[in-house]
């Protein structure tokens, strides 16, 4: 990506840097010429995601829910891209304590350590799940929030801490509300896997994917390149972004039935899905208004859904 020359030689911490999104950020920062440190406990991240860059980065194996790890991680860095979390709504329903520890406790530790270190800016990952099941579309950042799962509550708490630390301590913390991010390095094998890699892997083997509900559930699927761009633009924005919440998405709705059709089209197949009961905590419809992000960080959709899906097929070697 071009336009981020000012990040060259900057010391940047990526939390959760061995994860799906974090590893893409690490890769792009190295291309820019930044000095990258990664902290990850490898509970959901994978070392193989950063292994090819291990001699170019500083890697800390540790858990940010331990304050000493947070202190060690932020020492002498200038910027933080905070991606660390145990993701997934269903996983949080099964284990809310772990979810809270990985998101809320870890974030407060990180913020407090960063406050003492006088970090220039933190960009952190939040989630569209904070909006809940409101029928109002598109989702705008000033809407009433109604989180429906422990994961969504934790993300809401995380971004609220970002606003409060920005307000009372004068820190610069930006929260990005991701909408259904997909791309290479997502794990298709876990029961908690994101829908796109799971569906693609099954359909490549001529197996039927399972849709929970009637398939008319819609999502604003967002390709990873858009998310990487949003993070970097948030780091360098000179507008008043401290304490803000920004939607990161494509601004288009795709139903799960349409998703299956598009995957079939790319693969030249005609596999029909199976249907099961809806899941607790799932949101029925999701669509983002991305005007605020366009205004404050000059966000742009680099790949719409169809272009992103095609790029995913071209780049995802783990599924082939």
């Amino acid at each position: 990506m071009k336009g981020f020359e000012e990040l060259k030689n900057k010391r940047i911490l990526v939390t959760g840097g061995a994860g799906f999104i974090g590893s893409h950020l690490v890769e792009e920062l190295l291309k820019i010429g930044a000095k990258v440190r990664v902290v990850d406990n490898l509970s959901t991240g994978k070392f193989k995601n950063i292994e090819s860059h291990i001699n170019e980065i500083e890697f800390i194996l540790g858990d940010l829910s331990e304050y000493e790890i947070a202190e060690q991680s932020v020492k002498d860095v200038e910027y933080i891209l905070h991606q660390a979390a145990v993701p997934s709504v269903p996983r949080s329903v099964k284990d809310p304590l772990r979810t809270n520890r990985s998101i809320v406790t870890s974030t407060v530790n990180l913020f407090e350590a960063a406050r003492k270190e006088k970090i220039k800016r933190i960009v952190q990952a939040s989630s569209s799940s904070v909006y809940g099941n409101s029928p109002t579309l598109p989702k705008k950042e000033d809407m009433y929030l109604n989180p429906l799962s422990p994961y969504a509550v934790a993300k809401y708490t995380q971004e609220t801490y970002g606003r409060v630390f920005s307000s009372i301590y004068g820190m610069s913390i930006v929260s990005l509300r991701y909408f259904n991010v997909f791309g290479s390095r997502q794990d298709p094998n876990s029961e908690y896997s994101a829908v796109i890699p799971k569906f693609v892997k099954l359909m490549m083997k001529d197996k039927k994917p399972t849709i929970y509900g009637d398939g008319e559930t819609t999502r604003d699927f967002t390709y990873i390149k858009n998310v990487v761009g949003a993070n970097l633009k948030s780091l360098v924005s000179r507008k008043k972004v401290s304490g803000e919440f920004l939607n990161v998405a494509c601004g288009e709705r795709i139903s799960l039935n349409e998703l299956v059709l598009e995957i079939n089209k790319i693969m030249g197949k005609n596999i029909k899905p199976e249907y099961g009961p809806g899941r607790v905590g799932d949101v029925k419809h999701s669509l983002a208004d991305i005007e605020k992000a366009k205004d404050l960080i000059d966000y742009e959709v680099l790949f719409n859904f169809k272009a992103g899906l095609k790029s995913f097929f071209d780049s995802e070697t783990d599924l082939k």
Side-chain angles (χ1 to χ4, degrees):
M1 293 183 180
K2 297 180 179 179
F4 303 106
E5 289 79 11
E6 64 192 272
L7 295 177
K8 185 175 181 179
N9 293 321
K10 299 299 183 184
R11 300 182 302 277
I12 302 175
L13 170 68
V14 182
T15 75
F20 158 47
I21 296 174
S23 64
H24 279 275
L25 289 169
V26 168
E27 187 174 77
E28 198 60 42
L29 287 170
L30 290 174
K31 289 178 183 177
I32 292 168
K35 298 176 180 177
V36 180
R37 177 183 295 160
V38 169
V39 59
D40 202 303
N41 65 6
L42 300 182
S43 62
T44 57
K46 296 181 178 179
F47 183 72
K48 72 174 185 178
N49 287 340
I50 56 171
E51 189 171 11
S52 62
H53 301 297
I54 199 62
N55 294 324
E56 304 171 77
I57 65 174
E58 181 185 351
F59 177 63
I60 297 173
L61 176 61
D63 194 320
L64 290 169
S65 65
E66 300 174 21
Y67 185 71
E68 295 76 13
I69 296 296
E71 280 189 314
Q72 179 187 353
S73 298
V74 303
K75 187 170 180 57
D76 297 325
V77 300
E78 299 169 89
Y79 300 95
I80 299 173
L81 294 175
H82 180 33
Q83 312 298 310
V86 173
S88 159
V89 166
R91 184 185 272 120
S92 76
V93 172
K94 281 191 173 183
D95 194 350
L97 292 178
R98 184 187 180 203
T99 295
N100 189 78
R101 187 168 58 251
S102 78
I103 297 175
V104 179
T105 303
S106 294
T107 295
V108 176
N109 283 347
L110 183 73
F111 285 178
E112 178 61 4
R115 179 177 73 87
K116 294 177 179 178
E117 193 67 24
K118 295 181 169 52
I119 301 297
K120 291 180 180 178
R121 178 166 293 168
I122 301 172
V123 180
Q124 65 171 352
S126 186
S127 165
S128 61
S129 64
V130 299
Y131 290 110
N133 225 352
S134 165
T136 304
L137 294 176
K139 306 297 185 186
K140 294 187 177 183
E141 290 87 349
D142 59 358
M143 287 175 58
Y144 172 74
L145 303 182
N146 184 32
L148 299 176
S149 66
Y151 174 76
V153 170
K155 282 296 181 182
Y156 170 65
T157 305
Q158 175 184 352
E159 64 180 34
T160 303
Y161 266 116
R163 177 178 58 79
V164 170
F165 268 69
S166 292
S167 175
I168 66 176
Y169 298 123
M171 297 174 68
S172 182
I173 302 173
V174 189
S175 300
L176 302 182
R177 291 175 178 166
Y178 298 160
F179 281 68
N180 297 91
V181 187
F182 72 97
S184 62
R185 300 180 203 147
Q186 273 183 307
D187 181 5
N189 299 311
S190 166
E191 64 175 304
Y192 304 114
S193 296
V195 64
I196 290 181
K198 180 178 283 187
F199 280 17
V200 168
K201 182 160 188 177
L202 287 169
M203 293 170 69
M204 279 185 164
K205 296 179 179 179
D206 294 324
K207 294 180 179 179
K208 295 182 176 183
T210 298
I211 291 176
Y212 297 100
D214 60 7
E216 291 308 303
T217 293
T218 57
R219 293 289 180 263
D220 196 332
F221 291 112
T222 310
Y223 188 53
I224 183 63
K225 296 287 188 183
N226 298 324
V227 173
V228 170
N231 274 271
L232 299 183
K233 289 195 170 193
S234 295
L235 280 184
V236 302
S237 175
R238 288 181 169 80
K239 294 188 177 180
K240 293 181 179 180
V241 296
S242 300
E244 293 289 353
F245 319 126
L246 305 176
N247 291 337
V248 175
C250 287
E252 59 178 328
R253 288 170 66 188
I254 305 295
S255 74
L256 297 183
N257 288 328
E258 290 176 295
L259 171 61
V260 172
L261 287 174
E262 287 300 322
I263 295 172
N264 271 318
K265 189 180 298 183
I266 291 174
M267 295 194 302
K269 297 185 178 183
N270 187 27
I271 298 170
K272 305 295 183 184
E274 295 179 338
Y275 295 89
R279 297 188 300 189
V280 175
D282 273 358
V283 172
K284 181 66 175 174
H285 296 293
S286 186
L287 174 66
D289 183 304
I290 54 177
E291 293 306 310
K292 186 176 179 183
K294 287 180 178 179
D295 177 46
L296 290 185
I297 63 170
D298 195 27
Y299 173 68
E300 57 184 327
V301 178
L302 301 172
F303 289 78
N304 64 18
F305 166 69
K306 289 185 179 180
L309 190 63
K310 179 64 168 61
S311 181
F312 170 66
F313 268 86
D314 292 342
S315 63
E316 182 51 276
T317 56
D318 288 347
L319 296 174
K320 297 174 182 177

